[in-house]
Amino acid sequence: MKDRIYMDFAATTPVAPEVMEEMLPFFTENYGNPSSIHGSGRESRKAAEQARGKVAELLHVPPRDLYFTSGGSESDNWALKGATFAQQNRGRRILVSAVEHHAVLDACKWLQKQHFEVVFLPVDRYGTVSPETVEENITEDTVLISVMAANNEIGTLQPVREIGEIARKHGILFHTDAVQAAGAVPLDAEEIRADLISISAHKIYGPKGTGALYIRGGTRMDALLHGGAQERGLRAGTENLAGIVGFGKAAELAAQRMASDSARLTALRDRLIHGIQERIPGAVLNGHPTERLPNNCHFSFPGLEGEALLLRLDLAGIAASAGSACTAGSMEPSHVLLAVGQTPELANGSLRLTLGRETTEAEIDEVLEVLPKIAADLRGMRSGSW
Ligand SMILES: *Cc1c(COP(=O)(O)O)cnc(C)c1O
């Protein structure tokens, strides 16, 4: 067994060896600028377009509607800002779920300062947004609905198909942040009636710093980055070619492996969830019991401090997370756990364990051995000091 156990695949994944191999030549021999006319440039252009085809296939969209970006955060920002600015003559109201990633939430807070009206839709105790709630909040001047496909903290899968149907029926744009869902569960842009979809390479065994935004053909959209004719004039800047090529390979692998990876991970996830429920008294499973990502296990432990738990796990060689990577280091309780109705105290005792391609049954059993001991120990220290 490896001497360290990595259970933070929702924060990021390692680059798959096949992906790495495909990327390497684009740092050295194949360095031409895809915008250049010469042969080397044309080779780079060809590689980028091949990659675009592979990433597009993961979402079942035409390659021409897929735009490369610097990652999920840029894609989310572009979707929210670009779509609302382009539609503002129709209205200025945006509906988003309260459990979105900060890239969506903070873009919305910025839009509020630009005098857009943002409605943060409540969720139920599993973190699910009900399609009825979405429909009830639609008004004449609503121009965009943004609900993520899968939550990055608690793993809940949203009813995006129903929500997309409602958006389309009312002629409102629908954006979904599919950074966690892509490659993990089947996604078809037209089936969920999405106009905009954000994805990121480093969550699917591709490189960090590369992502994409799907923009349905005909959607009016402003650019976020200005300056060059790249990406059909909508996203300026010389392409991150190696990253794009790696993203293409990662998407291809994800599509090939999705069914088998998901079956294996679901079994391991359930072994971990049931094991924790049996061994740690009072453990509260967060997220939907069944409509959740195959690799996500998320608990709140009453009377425990998440940060202390993480540090002790790290000492024991286990890498986990207290929630989203973006809130690590801050003691703010997770907005997702508050939205599902937890008290700040309970929310601060949370732990996210996310599994991946390298996760083995032996690692699950090791965590089930170590975690309950640490939890009991920390609880003992707490009660002992009072
Ligand atoms: C990781 C993540 C992002 C941000 O993607 P980056 O490529 O890291 O910028 C956005 N949304 C969700 C749901 C994520 O999990």
Side-chain angles (χ1 to χ4, degrees), residues 254-276:
Q256 285 166 2
R257 300 182 53 132
M258 194 183 302
S260 59
D261 277 1
S262 137
R264 195 183 76 88
L265 289 173
T266 302
L268 289 178
R269 174 198 74 189
D270 290 343
R271 183 183 183 91
L272 184 58
I273 288 176
H274 298 143
I276 289 175

Side-chain angles (χ1 to χ4, degrees), residues 189-380:
E190 210 24 58
E191 200 180 294
I192 63 170
R193 305 269 184 262
D195 301 288
L196 300 155
I197 303 179
S198 303
I199 51 177
S200 176
H202 78 99
K203 304 286 175 78
I204 63 163
Y205 304 87
K208 294 167 183 62
T210 306
L213 181 66
Y214 159 69
I215 306 177
R216 187 167 167 254
T219 306
R220 274 194 301 160
M221 193 72 180
D222 280 2
L224 190 63
L225 294 188
H226 304 95
Q230 291 91 353
E231 302 299 291
R232 297 159 60 84
L234 275 178
R235 201 276 183 183
T238 301
E239 295 85 346
N240 173 2
L241 187 61
I244 287 170
V245 167
F247 196 4
K249 186 64 187 180
E252 182 181 69
L253 285 175
Q256 285 166 2
R257 300 182 53 132
M258 194 183 302
S260 59
D261 277 1
S262 137
R264 195 183 76 88
L265 289 173
T266 302
L268 289 178
R269 174 198 74 189
D270 290 343
R271 183 183 183 91
L272 184 58
I273 288 176
H274 298 143
I276 289 175
Q277 285 171 329
E278 277 165 21
R279 290 171 178 80
I280 305 181
V284 179
L285 177 67
N286 294 316
H288 197 283
T290 54
E291 290 297 303
R292 71 188 298 132
L293 287 170
N295 75 333
N296 177 291
C297 170
H298 195 298
F299 279 94
S300 291
F301 303 109
L304 278 181
E305 178 56 68
E307 301 249 334
L309 204 53
L310 279 189
L311 291 175
R312 289 287 298 269
L313 282 170
D314 191 41
L315 281 176
I318 299 166
S321 160
S324 63
C326 317
T327 47
S330 77
M331 286 298 288
E332 287 285 293
S334 141
H335 67 287
V336 174
L337 295 180
L338 296 181
V340 303
Q342 291 193 0
T343 61
E345 294 73 41
L346 184 57
N348 271 332
S350 67
L351 178 71
R352 181 183 75 180
L353 296 161
T354 44
L355 323 181
R357 277 182 201 158
E358 283 85 12
T359 308
T360 62
E361 195 170 288
E363 288 182 334
I364 299 287
D365 292 344
E366 170 79 8
V367 171
L368 286 175
E369 185 70 30
V370 172
L371 177 62
K373 283 187 194 148
I374 294 177
D377 200 28
L378 287 172
R379 273 178 176 160

Side-chain angles (χ1 to χ4, degrees), residues 10-11 70-74 76 101 103 148 150 152 177 179-180 200 202-203 210:
S70 67
S73 299
E74 184 189 326
D76 283 344
H101 188 273
M148 69 206 314
N152 48 301
D177 173 342
V179 171
Q180 290 288 337
S200 176
H202 78 99
K203 304 286 175 78
T210 306

